[in-house]
């Protein structure tokens, strides 16, 4: 998602970061291109204007920081502004009210209200362990109420029995009543939509709101909408009063400008986003992560969080300590492989890295083989403990035995051993306290004491270090040598680029 | 999603509805223009304002810049005059694409209707069926949207309303197979026009686009000329994303023409100008309401004048 915008912004800003000094004219030119990129991504004009003005103001008054190029500073300013535009902190659905908590969904026809209602119900039931009741207030569209009922059966969530001929506000009250009697935690109200903004729809929505006083009023909006998105959000907010926005079809072809605009225009947080057709394709909206993604700076936050959740901290510390001493043996390598698999394998991991958006096509071409990890683990598993600790003793006959045991070729074993050697060399280098590019990385790896978060400058630095244009030639040879475990793999990148 | 109940609104001409729908755009543009004219000569900043205003109407950055540049050349005395210039410029872009849909040879004449979810495909098919039926042609509908359960019922309702026959199967059936069978049946019954509905799909979903391509492929087995026309249905609220929709659907299904729906609301439909400038695909119809006869032929002049705020 957001790929189009991300690619455009990335290439504009990359041109800046490479330069030693920046004139005001350089910034102006870049900002004009940013403006265009955003408009073409359907970001509302007013929002674009405010955005570029703020970036410019920020860029002019900024203090020069040593060791960071002016261009990198601009990247940081753009990033900060994006975050501000999207809402500084992530807000989620608020259920902090006496049960049953009424939540009302509003929006145009075809924006995905009913589907989103179902997704939200499923999510609240499964993740929040709430008892949810859904009710359709759409008395106009034929079979709308049945549709919700069918959906409810699919996901195992109760729906309000249909009573023909009731007006929406009454149905809402009946739903709440049923919610109270049935001991439900949450009541989801799916209102009727129209093809366009009209008075009748607004009046009806306002009536329903008065009748049940919902704790959350969520606008369901299609992220494919053009400049009209702003009018939509404003109109609903004015007439009904919103507490949040749900963006649907974020999995569309990646412009998502409406997303950027709606928060800025209404001041209401984007709480959720629909990311696919499956019923569990509903995610929290993290403004700063989305900003990272739009900038192509990678989702480092997600990466670190995922890493923290999946890797046994103690084991990681032990590995780090051994790395520092240069005693990184095959057991450790295996741990790294396991960690990597838990994080969604190679491609899952790569997707979160900075700058990867740019080389996505090359990645696809390089055909990263997920089975490679498994095979390499199998090879390690076929070794004796002695061999794992001291890979040096592996001579031809041992390798042959291991290869036949693991169902791989001797070359594969050699390749893995070579990779292991390179990695442990690199780690010794980092461990010996060499400063420079590696220092920042080492910090990230937990070598420098705890999992320090990289600063945006470091992130930018990292992105720059990723070999850009030179990739195609090195990529195909990467798979055998690359999978160096979750984080060391990161370090392996620049190093390899230089050696080749 | 798509509505199938005609709204009980007083009868207006489609033109009134269109201008009503475009009013928000046109009043904004009208106000902006009068503001610009009364404030004296056009400075570079003013040109940029015109450009911005056109961008707000979804005309896209390129087209907006081009039109603003043309406007910058002249100095106009009154609002009407500058609006006329604006309308003329827009018309110049739209005129080549305002092509009516003609039913050619080919029996049955196969029309495949494609688009993203919720753009109004099924409703458009219903309206087209009624139109062709009124012209004295025999019409068959193929409920190729086998994904959305309600779509099949919806199409059946439309078939009843428009006097067309319909071939439908249970939800989840293979759409390509259904299209093939519909073509066989239409041939057998000597139907004049076969309208094939498809499930809505986002243009970046490769597997769904493959499925669409397959529908086209199997029909070609029976009749190399089929589908004779492939209509892409676009929603008027859609923004610059429509450009990529046109591109992708054209690549996969060989789109031959466009229909723009939901022009009866606040949506501007200015994206049509951007599409016309870039892809030069014929625009056959515009949908201006939910009733069965709310499908109008697209005329460049009227549309351009409506966008520019001229009655």
């Amino acid at each position: 998602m957001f790929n189009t915008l991300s690619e455009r912004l990335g290439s504009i800003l990359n041109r800046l970061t490479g330069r030693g000094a920046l004139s005001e004219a350089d910034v102006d030119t870049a900002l004009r291109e940013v403006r265009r990129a955003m408009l073409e991504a359907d970001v509302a004009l007013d929002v674009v204007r405010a955005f570029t003005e703020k970036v410019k103001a920020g860029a002019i008054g900024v203090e020069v920081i040593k060791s960071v190029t002016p261009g990198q500073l601009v990247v940081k300013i753009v990033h900060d502004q994006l975050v501000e535009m999207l809402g500084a902190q992530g807000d989620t659905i608020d259920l902090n009210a006496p049960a049953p908590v009424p939540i009302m969904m509003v929006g145009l026809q075809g924006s995905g209200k009913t589907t989103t209602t179902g997704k939200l119900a499923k999510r609240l039931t499964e993740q929040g362990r709430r008892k949810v009741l859904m009710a359709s207030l759409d008395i106009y569209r034929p079979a709308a109420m049945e549709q919700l009922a069918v959906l409810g059966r699919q996901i195992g969530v109760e729906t309000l029995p249909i009573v023909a001929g009731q007006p929406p506000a009454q149905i809402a009250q009946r739903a709440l009543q049923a919610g109270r009697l049935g001991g439900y935690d949450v009541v989801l109200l799916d209102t009727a939509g129209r093809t366009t903004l009209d008075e009748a729809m607004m009046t009806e929505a306002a009536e329903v709101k008065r009748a049940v006083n919902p704790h959350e009023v969520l606008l369901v909006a299609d992220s494919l909408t053009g400049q009209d998105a702003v009018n939509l959000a404003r109109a609903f907010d004015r007439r009904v009063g919103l507490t949040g926005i749900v963006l649907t079809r974020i999995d569309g072809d990646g412009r998502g400008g409406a997303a950027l605009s709606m928060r800025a225009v209404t001041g209401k947080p984007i709480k959720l986003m629909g990311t696919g057709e499956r019923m569990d394709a509903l995610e929290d909206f993290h403004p700063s992560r989305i900003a990272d993604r739009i900038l192509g700076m990678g989702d480092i936050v997600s990466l670190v969080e995922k890493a923290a959740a999946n890797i046994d901290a103690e084991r990681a510390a032990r590995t780090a300590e051994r790395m520092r001493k240069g005693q990184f043996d095959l057991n450790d390598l295996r741990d790294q492989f396991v960690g990597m698999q838990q994080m969604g394998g190679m491609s899952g991991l790569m997707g979160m890295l900075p700058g990867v958006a740019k080389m996505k096509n090359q990645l696809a071409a390089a055909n990263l083989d997920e089975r490679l990890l498994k095979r390499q683990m199998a090879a390690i598993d076929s070794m004796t403990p002695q061999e794992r600790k001291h890979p040096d003793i592996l001579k031809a006959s041992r390798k042959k035995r291991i290869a036949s045991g693991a169902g791989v070729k001797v070359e594969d074993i050699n390749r893995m051993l070579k990779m292991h050697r390179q990695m442990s060399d690199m780690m010794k280098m980092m461990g010996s306290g060499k400063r420079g590019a590696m220092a920042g990385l080492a910090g990230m790896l937990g070598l420098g004491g705890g999992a320090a978060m990289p600063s945006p400058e470091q992130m930018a630095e990292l992105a720059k270090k990723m070999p850009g244009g030179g990739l195609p030639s090195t990529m195909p040879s990467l798979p055998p040598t690359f999978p160096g475990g979750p984080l060391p793999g990161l370090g392996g990148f620049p190093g390899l680029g230089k050696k080749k | 999603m798509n509505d199938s109940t005609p709204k009980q609104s007083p009868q207006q001409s489609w033109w009134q509805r269109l201008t009503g729908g475009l009013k928000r755009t046109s009043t904004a543009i009208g106000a902006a223009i009068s503001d610009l004219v009364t404030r004296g000569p056009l400075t570079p900043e003013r040109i940029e304002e015109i450009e911005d205003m056109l961008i707000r109407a979804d005309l896209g950055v390129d087209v907006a810049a081009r039109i603003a540049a043309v406007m910058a050349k002249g100095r106009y005395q009154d609002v009407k005059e500058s609006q006329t210039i604006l309308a003329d410029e827009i018309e110049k872009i739209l005129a080549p694409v305002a092509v009516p849909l003609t039913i050619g040879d080919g029996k049955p004449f196969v029309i495949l209707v494609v688009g993203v979810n919720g753009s109004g495909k099924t409703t458009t098919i219903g309206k087209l069926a009624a139109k062709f039926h009124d012209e004295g042609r025999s019409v068959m509908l193929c409920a190729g949207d086998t994904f959305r359960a309600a779509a099949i019922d919806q199409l059946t309702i439309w078939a009843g309303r428009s006097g067309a026959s319909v071939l439908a199967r249970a939800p989840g059936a293979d759409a390509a197979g259904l299209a093939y069978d519909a073509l066989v049946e239409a041939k057998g019954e000597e139907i004049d026009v076969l309208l094939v509905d498809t499930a809505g799909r986002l243009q970046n979903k490769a597997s769904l686009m493959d499925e669409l391509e397959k529908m086209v492929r199997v029909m070609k087995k029976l009749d190399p000329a089929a589908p004779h026309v492939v209509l892409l249905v676009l929603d008027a609220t859609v923004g610059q994303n429509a450009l990529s929709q046109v591109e992708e659907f054209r690549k996969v299904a060989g789109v031959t023409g466009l229909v723009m729906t939901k022009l009866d609301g606040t949506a501007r439909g200015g994206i049509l100008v951007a599409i016309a400038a870039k892809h030069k695909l014929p625009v056959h119809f515009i949908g201006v309401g939910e009733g069965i006869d709310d499908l109008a032929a697209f005329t460049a002049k009227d549309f351009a004048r409506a966008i520019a705020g001229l009655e």
Side-chain angles (χ1 to χ4, degrees), chain A residues 36 46 141 251-253, chain B residues 1 56 62 204-205 241 244:
Chain A
R36 194 189 160 99
D46 302 331
R141 187 158 62 105
D251 57 326
D253 84 335
Chain B
M1 299 252 156
R56 259 201 210 105
D62 288 326
N204 63 341
K205 302 279 178 214
N241 182 274
S244 108

Side-chain angles (χ1 to χ4, degrees), chain B residues 174-254:
Chain B
D174 175 37
L178 182 63
Y180 185 89
D181 293 348
L183 189 49
V184 171
E185 196 164 315
K187 267 184 192 295
E189 291 178 26
E190 301 200 341
I191 297 282
D192 294 326
V193 182
L194 173 64
L195 286 161
V196 183
D197 194 8
T198 61
R201 64 202 76 216
L202 288 171
Q203 71 273 22
N204 63 341
K205 302 279 178 214
S207 57
L208 294 176
M209 291 306 268
D210 287 349
E211 182 194 285
L212 186 62
E213 200 232 316
K214 186 180 169 195
M215 280 180 88
V216 175
R217 204 169 56 226
V218 299
M219 282 194 273
K220 286 209 187 301
K221 278 188 191 162
L222 274 181
D223 180 354
H228 303 83
V229 165
V230 180
L231 291 179
L232 173 63
V233 179
L234 293 170
D235 174 335
T237 56
V238 77
Q240 303 302 307
N241 182 274
L243 288 171
S244 108
Q245 288 180 24
V246 172
E247 221 160 272
E248 292 303 316
F249 277 104
R250 201 175 185 184
K251 217 183 311 165
V252 171

Side-chain angles (χ1 to χ4, degrees), chain A residues 71-368:
Chain A
Q72 286 169 338
L73 266 183
V74 173
V75 172
K76 185 181 181 310
I77 295 167
V78 169
H79 175 265
D80 291 351
Q81 282 303 325
L82 270 178
V83 173
E84 197 188 309
M85 187 161 85
L86 292 169
Q89 81 255 23
D91 290 86
T92 46
I93 299 293
D94 180 15
L95 297 176
N96 197 8
V101 183
I103 297 180
M104 177 176 164
M105 318 289 281
V106 297
L108 290 188
Q109 205 167 63
S111 60
K113 271 188 308 303
T114 305
T115 309
T116 305
T117 305
K119 285 181 181 176
L120 182 57
K122 184 172 155 77
R123 187 187 157 98
L124 291 175
T125 312
E126 288 175 4
Q127 290 181 21
R129 306 251 165 261
R130 311 280 172 157
K131 200 174 168 200
V132 181
L133 178 70
M134 300 193 291
S136 170
L137 312 186
D138 190 346
I139 51 173
Y140 309 100
R141 187 158 62 105
M145 298 173 109
E146 286 82 358
Q147 189 187 338
L148 193 71
V150 170
L151 207 61
R153 277 197 293 279
Q154 268 174 24
I155 59 173
V157 172
E158 293 296 315
T159 45
L160 187 73
I162 299 168
V163 174
Q166 255 185 340
Q170 266 182 39
I171 303 178
Q173 275 165 339
R174 183 161 61 91
L176 222 58
Q177 185 74 25
R180 233 171 268 131
L181 295 175
Y184 287 92
D185 299 312
V186 180
V187 174
L188 293 178
L189 302 170
D190 179 20
T191 64
R194 298 262 151 68
T195 53
T196 52
L197 284 175
D198 75 358
E199 197 43 44
M201 173 170 63
M202 292 296 179
T203 314
E204 185 183 300
E207 260 170 32
V208 171
K209 191 183 177 193
R210 255 199 313 280
V212 295
N213 189 25
H215 190 60
E216 288 264 18
V217 180
L218 301 174
L219 172 66
V220 180
D222 182 348
S223 42
L224 299 186
T225 318
Q227 298 281 332
D228 202 38
V230 212
N231 298 330
L232 174 77
R234 268 202 201 110
F236 270 104
D237 193 33
R238 202 178 306 134
R239 287 299 305 273
V240 192
L242 304 172
T243 60
I245 296 165
V246 182
L247 285 173
T248 58
R249 286 207 261 189
I250 280 279
D251 57 326
D253 84 335
R255 284 160 197 266
L260 300 177
S261 315
M262 285 189 171
R263 164 63 177 53
V265 166
T266 57
K268 298 293 153 64
I270 298 164
K271 297 199 163 178
L272 296 165
M273 53 190 190
T275 54
E277 295 187 12
R278 281 171 309 115
M279 286 313 287
D280 53 1
L282 187 72
E283 293 177 17
D284 283 332
F285 187 87
H286 296 284
S288 65
R289 294 185 198 175
I290 297 288
D292 286 342
R293 247 180 234 183
I294 290 173
L295 268 188
M297 306 306 282
D299 209 339
I300 292 277
V301 187
S302 300
L303 179 70
V304 172
E305 271 182 13
K306 265 197 177 179
N310 283 332
I311 295 179
D312 177 16
E314 204 177 319
R315 183 187 276 178
R318 202 190 64 214
T319 310
E321 184 53 33
R322 296 171 59 84
M323 280 180 191
R324 204 202 310 269
K325 290 185 183 153
Q327 302 169 326
F328 180 75
D329 66 18
L330 290 173
N331 285 316
D332 300 314
L333 184 63
R334 192 179 182 286
D335 285 348
Q336 299 292 318
F337 285 160
V338 171
M340 211 163 144
Q341 268 188 334
Q342 283 169 347
M343 285 200 279
M346 208 126 47
S347 45
L349 208 64
M350 294 292 282
M352 290 187 274
L353 291 179
V356 171
K358 260 185 293 180
M359 37 192 231
K360 212 166 37 197
N361 297 337
Q362 290 154 0
L363 271 181
N367 204 4
L368 277 181

Side-chain angles (χ1 to χ4, degrees), chain B residues 1-302:
Chain B
M1 299 252 156
N2 312 4
D3 205 351
S4 53
T5 43
K7 233 194 314 195
Q8 306 300 321
S9 59
Q11 276 303 306
Q12 294 173 303
S13 76
W14 70 267
W15 169 245
Q16 278 170 315
R17 283 195 214 123
L18 173 59
T19 46
L22 291 168
K23 206 156 87 202
R24 187 186 286 262
T25 321
S26 45
T27 44
I29 289 183
I33 288 180
S34 68
D35 188 42
L36 288 172
V37 174
T38 47
R39 275 195 296 164
L42 293 170
T43 58
E45 289 82 52
R46 295 287 170 74
I47 301 300
E48 200 166 296
E49 281 173 42
I50 298 185
E51 200 183 316
D52 286 355
M53 166 189 95
L54 294 171
I55 288 171
R56 259 201 210 105
D58 280 328
L59 265 69
V61 181
D62 288 326
V63 176
R66 210 160 75 210
I67 294 179
V70 173
M71 304 234 5
K73 282 189 198 137
R75 283 189 56 181
Y76 310 110
Q77 294 310 309
D78 63 20
V79 180
K80 193 97 181 176
E81 191 186 347
S82 35
Q83 277 177 314
T84 313
I85 300 291
L86 180 59
D88 286 351
E89 285 307 314
I90 296 174
E91 192 188 335
K92 259 185 230 163
I93 299 172
L94 290 178
V97 300
V99 182
L101 178 64
T102 44
I103 302 295
D105 301 335
K107 193 167 174 125
F109 190 79
V110 182
I111 301 178
L112 180 69
V113 181
V114 299
V116 301
N117 321 56
S119 57
K121 285 176 298 299
T122 308
T123 307
T124 301
I125 288 186
K127 291 175 182 175
L128 283 175
K131 178 180 144 61
F132 295 140
H133 186 261
D134 289 348
E135 289 170 5
R137 300 176 206 271
S138 54
V139 182
M140 181 188 264
L141 308 183
C142 168
D145 183 353
T146 51
F147 184 73
R148 189 167 59 100
I152 298 167
D153 304 335
Q154 200 182 333
L155 202 71
T156 315
I157 295 171
W158 274 110
R161 258 184 228 167
S162 59
S165 58
V166 64
L167 185 69
R169 264 184 211 150
D174 175 37
L178 182 63
Y180 185 89
D181 293 348
L183 189 49
V184 171
E185 196 164 315
K187 267 184 192 295
E189 291 178 26
E190 301 200 341
I191 297 282
D192 294 326
V193 182
L194 173 64
L195 286 161
V196 183
D197 194 8
T198 61
R201 64 202 76 216
L202 288 171
Q203 71 273 22
N204 63 341
K205 302 279 178 214
S207 57
L208 294 176
M209 291 306 268
D210 287 349
E211 182 194 285
L212 186 62
E213 200 232 316
K214 186 180 169 195
M215 280 180 88
V216 175
R217 204 169 56 226
V218 299
M219 282 194 273
K220 286 209 187 301
K221 278 188 191 162
L222 274 181
D223 180 354
H228 303 83
V229 165
V230 180
L231 291 179
L232 173 63
V233 179
L234 293 170
D235 174 335
T237 56
V238 77
Q240 303 302 307
N241 182 274
L243 288 171
S244 108
Q245 288 180 24
V246 172
E247 221 160 272
E248 292 303 316
F249 277 104
R250 201 175 185 184
K251 217 183 311 165
V252 171
V255 169
T256 60
L258 306 174
V259 177
M260 174 152 275
T261 59
K262 306 188 191 171
L263 266 172
D264 48 335
T266 57
R268 304 132 189 258
I271 186 66
L272 264 192
V273 186
I275 295 173
K278 187 162 181 209
H279 293 287
K280 314 213 157 29
L281 267 181
V283 181
H284 296 310
F285 298 104
I286 49 177
V288 290
E290 292 170 24
I292 198 159
D293 53 352
D294 290 331
L295 192 69
F298 176 74
T299 49
K301 189 170 175 134
D302 295 344

